[in-house]
Amino acid sequence: MVTTRSTTGKTPKKVTQPDFIETVKRRRRTKRESPEEMKPANDEITVVPTNGKGKDAVITSAEDKHAEFDFGGPIGVSCMMVGFPLLMWYLWICTTYYQGHLTVPTNDETMQDFLLRLYGHFLDGAFPDLKSWAIVWGFLIFEGILYVTLPGVWTRGLPLPHLNNERLPYFCNAVWSFYTTIIVAAVLHITGIFPITTLIDKFGSIMSVSIICGLILPFLLYFYAYITKTQYRMSGSFVYDVFMGAVLNPRIGIIDLKMFYEVRLPWFILFLTTVSSAVRQYESYGYVSPQVSFLVLAHWLYANACSKGEELIVTTWDMFYEKFGFMLLFWNMAGVPFTYCHCTLFLANSAPSEYQWSIYYNVFVYFLLIGAYYIFDTTNSQKNRFRQQMYGTLIPRNTFPQLPWQTIKNPTYIKCKNGGTLLTSGWYKYARKIHYTVDFIQSLSWGLITGFASPLPYFYPLFFFCVLSHRAYRDIQRCKIKYSDDWKEYERQCPYLFIPFVF
């Protein structure tokens, strides 16, 4: 174990290479830029540089085998695959028909009557009609077209053990797609071709289509993996492998489906839904309330952050390790955009006079959001740009906003015995999971701006707290095994987990 600074004690220099090329007009492939040229030969081992000196690390196949069941195993994931869709419909019914209060059977109502009442609400406002199918798949196809036609950058992912440590090329242009989507949506609304308020008016039906697709597609991908013999790290349990996924990197041409679903679908839909609510409020009342404006800002910040830093996402755990099954596909296609928005739905279904807070409370929540976002943006940037520094592929971009301290100059880190590195500077010297903490605070602010009349806007922060806690636990257990004594040294140098000087 060695604690050191980057390469020569200086900030790594910008390098020019085919791994990362920014296009300025229409994306063109030259021999230098071709993804096929970027791929190593089948017998080539791509190593993970630790620094400019010494040995390199190779991720071995031993780290890429199914080890144990998560989420309660086959029984647990079966419950989630059935329970999540039902929960989403139930929460939508509560926020749409019962002013955001949880509905339960009345004294004179049997369970069968209660379920029939809920089913009646489903038929009334969430039946997946043809228009909703057209909206969902039209949006998917439109975003796919933007993926392959707009300019962007090429970069590489981490070495994949099952592909002889090959680093796959990724084309990233989500930021272009995001703003093109906004412009097209505005034009369609202004011309009357497709009023954006349709998204809030037909929310239930659009959600149902997304749920159905999110349930069916993981099974299709499972069978596709077997047909194409691309399945790996399988558990032997059919339902568990459908949930976790059978294939790691499903692609259609240059479109990496996992990255497409993680960045564009959930956050673009969430933002557009909130904009839809703001436009509906303006049409109804002649103004947009500070609370709805807050959510437009909050959801724009998150969608824009994911888009402007898309090239940094390719080295994250989800992209490198998690397979593309129900867990990622369903939650990104249906769960995120249609459950994280209950703050928006509550305000959309309430008159502005019902949630007029004091100016001091509004200012407090705004500052809470902006402060948490700044740390969230810079922590994730520091972590992922550090990885690029280690690869020598760091190329600064001008996507908005570029915040102070996004890149650590002369980062300190632990050089581990297995060849890996553990960052010990920047925000991470204060807390190892500080990016989780501020991500949660952002989610909490989304609920706080709605007040306390309904528990539903707090579903997202509560659920997200559970997700982050479980993810942190999984990560710590893996790292203890992977880094051994180096992890103990890391915990000594960076002793706090979530909250600096507290926890």
Side-chain angles (χ1 to χ4, degrees):
M1 182 276 298
V2 178
T3 302
T4 184
R5 290 187 178 271
S6 60
T7 310
T8 61
K10 300 179 180 179
T11 302
K13 296 181 179 180
K14 175 178 177 178
V15 295
T16 302
Q17 56 181 321
D19 286 36
F20 201 95
I21 299 174
E22 179 115 31
T23 57
V24 293
K25 294 184 180 179
R26 182 178 179 88
R27 182 178 56 82
R28 298 187 299 271
R29 292 183 194 169
T30 63
K31 182 176 180 180
R32 177 180 174 82
E33 298 171 334
S34 168
E36 296 302 320
E37 295 287 334
M38 293 165 61
K39 295 181 180 181
N42 291 335
D43 59 348
E44 181 181 349
I45 300 295
T46 304
V47 296
V48 186
T50 57
N51 62 8
K53 303 176 182 179
K55 296 182 179 179
D56 293 324
V58 176
I59 300 176
T60 65
S61 59
E63 299 178 44
D64 197 46
K65 296 179 180 178
H66 173 74
E68 60 183 17
F69 288 112
D70 284 311
F71 307 106
I75 295 177
V77 300
S78 298
C79 293
M80 284 190 278
M81 292 174 72
V82 174
F84 278 151
L86 295 178
L87 177 62
M88 288 176 63
W89 276 310
Y90 172 74
L91 293 178
W92 169 79
I93 289 171
C94 291
T95 196
T96 303
Y97 294 94
Y98 298 95
Q99 294 76 50
H101 299 292
L102 301 179
T103 181
V104 296
T106 60
N107 293 333
D108 59 347
E109 193 175 39
T110 66
M111 181 56 68
Q112 181 179 5
D113 292 336
F114 172 67
L115 294 177
L116 288 175
R117 173 158 60 92
L118 298 183
Y119 182 64
H121 293 316
F122 167 80
L123 294 178
D124 177 61
F127 185 79
D129 56 21
L130 291 178
K131 184 175 182 179
S132 299
W133 282 95
I135 291 172
V136 171
W137 282 96
F139 179 76
L140 285 171
I141 294 171
F142 173 70
E143 291 299 328
I145 293 172
L146 296 186
Y147 198 130
V148 300
T149 58
L150 294 180
V153 296
W154 282 105
T155 189
R156 286 182 182 269
L158 293 175
L160 299 175
H162 72 294
L163 297 178
N164 292 326
N165 284 314
E166 178 183 335
R167 295 170 59 201
L168 295 180
Y170 290 85
F171 184 66
C172 306
N173 67 354
V175 68
W176 287 89
S177 297
F178 182 47
Y179 288 100
T180 301
T181 299
I182 293 174
I183 293 171
V184 171
V187 171
L188 293 177
H189 176 77
I190 293 171
T191 58
I193 296 174
F194 183 83
I196 196 170
T197 50
T198 304
L199 298 180
I200 201 72
D201 294 338
K202 294 188 66 64
F203 180 90
S205 297
I206 295 172
M207 179 187 70
S208 293
V209 172
S210 298
I211 288 174
I212 293 170
C213 294
L215 286 170
I216 294 175
L217 290 177
F219 288 90
L220 297 181
L221 278 173
Y222 175 88
F223 293 116
Y224 163 82
Y226 270 94
I227 292 172
T228 58
K229 301 187 184 303
T230 53
Q231 81 280 9
Y232 83 113
R233 206 187 335 121
M234 306 297 282
S235 70
S237 167
F238 171 73
V239 66
Y240 186 81
D241 289 331
V242 169
F243 180 88
M244 298 300 293
V247 61
L248 180 64
N249 302 109
R251 294 188 168 200
I252 301 176
I254 67 168
I255 300 177
D256 184 273
L257 292 179
K258 189 160 60 172
M259 190 165 71
F260 179 78
Y261 274 75
E262 288 225 354
V263 176
R264 297 154 198 264
L265 295 193
W267 306 114
F268 289 16
I269 294 173
L270 179 63
F271 173 72
L272 291 173
T273 300
T274 303
V275 171
S276 172
S277 176
V279 174
R280 169 62 71 216
Q281 187 178 76
Y282 182 81
E283 292 177 347
S284 300
Y285 299 96
Y287 67 94
V288 179
S289 69
Q291 293 76 24
V292 172
S293 298
F294 172 92
L295 292 178
V296 172
L297 171 64
H299 296 166
W300 171 78
L301 283 173
Y302 215 100
N304 183 72
C306 293
S307 300
K308 77 185 180 78
E310 184 184 26
E311 75 278 0
L312 303 176
I313 295 175
V314 302
T315 59
T316 60
W317 184 257
D318 281 357
M319 298 301 299
F320 163 69
Y321 186 83
E322 301 288 11
K323 296 179 289 182
F324 196 46
F326 177 92
M327 181 177 70
L328 292 184
L329 192 156
F330 177 87
W331 204 245
N332 283 304
M333 186 171 190
V336 170
F338 299 103
T339 60
Y340 290 11
C341 65
H342 277 287
C343 48
T344 296
L345 295 182
F346 175 76
L347 296 184
N349 293 322
S350 305
S353 60
E354 298 178 17
Y355 52 82
Q356 292 181 346
W357 322 132
S358 71
I359 188 172
Y360 300 106
Y361 183 80
N362 287 334
V363 169
F364 163 74
V365 181
Y366 268 88
F367 270 96
L368 184 67
L369 169 69
I370 294 171
Y373 173 78
Y374 171 75
I375 302 176
F376 165 79
D377 189 304
T378 51
T379 52
N380 283 287
S381 179
Q382 287 177 2
K383 174 183 63 177
N384 291 300
R385 288 184 179 183
F386 169 72
R387 290 171 178 162
Q388 290 187 339
Q389 287 173 319
M390 294 296 97
Y391 279 95
T393 60
L394 176 62
I395 299 181
R397 298 184 68 191
N398 295 320
T399 49
F400 178 82
Q402 292 298 310
L403 302 174
W405 212 30
Q406 286 187 313
T407 304
I408 306 172
K409 296 181 180 180
N410 302 324
T412 60
Y413 58 91
I414 296 173
K415 179 183 175 183
C416 303
K417 297 183 181 68
N418 67 354
T421 55
L422 294 169
L423 180 63
T424 58
S425 55
W427 287 110
Y428 292 94
K429 70 180 179 181
Y430 299 108
R432 303 191 301 274
K433 296 294 183 184
I434 192 172
H435 54 303
Y436 284 7
T437 303
V438 291
D439 208 354
F440 169 74
I441 292 174
Q442 284 188 97
S443 72
L444 182 61
S445 73
W446 298 7
L448 290 174
I449 200 65
T450 68
F452 303 95
S454 168
L456 296 188
Y458 294 92
F459 170 80
Y460 168 45
L462 177 61
F463 173 80
F464 199 42
F465 177 83
C466 297
V467 169
L468 293 178
S469 299
H470 181 260
R471 181 177 291 182
Y473 171 78
R474 290 177 69 198
D475 183 59
I476 291 171
Q477 297 308 309
R478 285 192 300 261
C479 289
K480 284 182 177 179
I481 296 173
K482 182 176 181 179
Y483 296 109
S484 189
D485 291 339
D486 292 322
W487 185 257
K488 296 179 181 178
E489 175 61 20
Y490 179 54
E491 291 180 320
R492 186 192 68 79
Q493 292 191 30
C494 306
Y496 299 102
L497 183 60
F498 291 116
I499 304 175
F501 312 111
V502 177
F503 177 53

